[in-house]
Amino acid sequence: MSVLTQPINGRPQRRQLSDQLDRLDGIIDCLADGLNQAVTDAVRDGSQAALRQIIQDGLANPATLDLLRRALAANPAPPSRTSRFLARCKVGITSAVRVVADTVKSVVALVTARTASVMRVCRLGWHLKRAVAIAIGVGTLVGAVALVSHPVATLLSGVGAAVAAFGVQTCLWIRRTTRPWIA
């Protein structure tokens, strides 16, 4: 990409700050579109890892292994013993399934809560994107003007202007957002 665009009156025209801000807005839009897929992938991977860990912990537990050994032991017995054995197996499997289901529910609740908090932060960042872009633009402009002075003054004036512009834009956004509630 070139810094200069189509010529006007034989002189090339410089790219405008508004064009750069539009480009930055497009980049932010693309990042926001990919956020949903990233959250979905993270939840899926986290759930799989949690289920795998639950199964590994269950197989490492001596009580669970003992229950499985008793359930799988080859024991030729008369029908009454077989029916009792099957009943004990059913109770053991039912309790194991209940423990796994409770653990999966708690993992899903935890992942859902974490996902919700990440989404709230991303939504806030999305609403303040204009304020950040204006703050960067103002800070850069003031820093460029102050460049003729001392380098420390340039840095301080650029950062101060960026912070001030961000504060003003944030206050304007808060006023726009809360106006329906106040009126």
Side-chain angles (χ1 to χ4, degrees):
M1 252 188 211
S2 158
V3 173
L4 304 175
T5 58
Q6 297 177 352
I8 296 178
N9 294 332
R11 294 177 55 194
Q13 183 181 6
R14 290 192 163 269
R15 191 179 299 156
Q16 298 293 318
L17 178 61
S18 63
D19 296 336
Q20 295 300 320
L21 292 176
D22 290 341
R23 183 170 169 248
L24 179 62
D25 189 40
I27 291 170
I28 292 172
D29 288 341
C30 289
L31 290 173
D33 292 341
L35 179 66
N36 289 336
Q37 183 63 35
V39 168
T40 302
D41 293 343
V43 168
R44 184 185 61 241
D45 294 344
S47 299
Q48 287 175 351
L51 186 59
R52 190 175 303 119
Q53 185 65 36
I54 289 168
I55 292 171
Q56 286 175 352
D57 290 347
L59 291 177
N61 186 350
T64 306
L65 287 176
D66 186 45
L67 180 66
L68 286 173
R69 278 190 202 103
R70 281 189 275 140
L72 297 175
N75 206 3
S80 63
R81 281 184 153 192
T82 304
S83 62
R84 283 186 282 163
F85 172 74
L86 290 176
R88 284 194 312 268
C89 288
K90 182 179 177 184
V91 169
I93 289 173
T94 303
S95 66
V97 167
R98 190 176 303 121
V99 168
V100 169
D102 291 343
T103 307
V104 168
K105 283 180 188 176
S106 64
V107 167
V108 167
L110 178 67
V111 169
T112 302
R114 295 291 167 99
T115 302
S117 66
V118 167
M119 291 302 289
R120 280 193 298 273
V121 169
C122 289
R123 261 189 244 115
L124 178 63
W126 182 253
H127 288 297
L128 293 177
K129 69 178 180 198
R130 182 172 180 236
V132 170
I134 290 174
I136 290 171
V138 168
T140 304
L141 182 64
V142 169
V145 169
L147 191 60
V148 295
S149 123
H150 194 272
V152 174
T154 302
L155 176 68
L156 291 177
S157 62
V159 169
V163 168
F166 180 75
V168 168
Q169 291 298 316
T170 303
C171 290
L172 290 173
W173 174 76
I174 290 171
R175 189 174 72 181
R176 274 194 319 269
T177 304
T178 58
R179 185 173 290 150
W181 299 336
I182 296 172

